[in-house]
Amino acid sequence: MSTVIELRPLADDVEESLILLDRDFAAVYGPDMGVWAKGVRGELLEMQRARRTADREAHPLHPRRASASRRRRHLKQLSWRIRGIAPGAVTVLVTPLWTDTTGTGCRHVVARALTADGRVLKFRAGGSRQITALLQGAYPAANWDHPQSWRADTNTLTDRVSLKAVA
């Protein structure tokens, strides 16, 4: 006799945590959200957004493929777009992280931006995912299983394992 083990999808866990969050807020502040203070509503919405986007760092698992003209446009606008997410970024380090929380390996890609003097820049929620998606769209031939570093002054991506520039 064998036992069937069903793994719950991550979306179910997120949905369950959102339901529990709504229930907790309704128990404290009442069921009518219209009479809540503006700060309380903002806190609830911020917590909901944080719980919905907590799993989004794993989103860019595969690099996007694009036509040659679109890739050239991505490359041309890349520093401007990254500056919009991380103002003052000179170097962006992109590192894949492998986790095994549910029994199956899962890859998360994390981006970290550095200023000219080496200080780490903080992103708003989802900034790491956005920067990773931009870099993967501009450099689809890069090996995203290895750590990569992108330099704003030369607009080049370098594989940190082999230290080769990716075209």
Side-chain angles (χ1 to χ4, degrees), residues 87-104:
V90 173
T91 304
V92 175
L93 305 171
V94 180
T95 307
L97 297 174
W98 294 90
T99 58
D100 192 13
T101 57
T102 60
T104 59

Side-chain angles (χ1 to χ4, degrees), residues 20-163:
L20 292 173
L21 181 68
D22 285 340
R23 188 189 68 202
D24 293 342
F25 266 78
V28 173
Y29 298 106
D32 186 14
M33 194 175 178
V35 298
W36 293 1
K38 191 174 184 179
V40 173
R41 281 193 311 253
E43 182 181 351
L44 172 67
L45 295 175
E46 187 63 35
M47 289 175 74
Q48 286 176 338
R49 184 174 59 183
R51 294 202 179 158
R52 280 190 186 110
T53 59
D55 66 320
R56 300 294 175 123
E57 295 298 329
H59 179 67
L61 291 178
H62 305 289
R64 297 179 315 201
R65 296 293 176 177
S67 65
S69 64
R70 181 150 308 223
R71 243 184 346 267
R72 283 191 298 270
R73 190 174 88 212
H74 280 304
L75 278 172
K76 190 176 179 182
Q77 297 175 348
L78 188 60
S79 61
W80 177 79
R81 288 180 177 177
I82 289 179
R83 245 189 345 260
I85 299 168
V90 173
T91 304
V92 175
L93 305 171
V94 180
T95 307
L97 297 174
W98 294 90
T99 58
D100 192 13
T101 57
T102 60
T104 59
C106 180
R107 183 180 77 172
H108 299 273
V109 183
V110 178
R112 183 176 185 181
L114 303 172
T115 61
D117 58 353
R119 285 184 299 114
V120 176
L121 292 173
K122 297 208 178 221
F123 306 125
R124 64 181 184 273
S128 178
R129 179 188 52 82
Q130 290 173 341
I131 287 178
T132 302
L134 286 172
L135 289 171
Q136 286 180 341
Y139 299 100
N143 184 357
W144 294 102
D145 288 334
H146 292 165
Q148 306 284 340
S149 98
W150 176 80
R151 302 241 347 135
D153 55 352
T154 59
N155 200 17
T156 57
L157 187 74
T158 305
D159 188 340
R160 300 310 303 166
V161 173
S162 63
L163 294 177

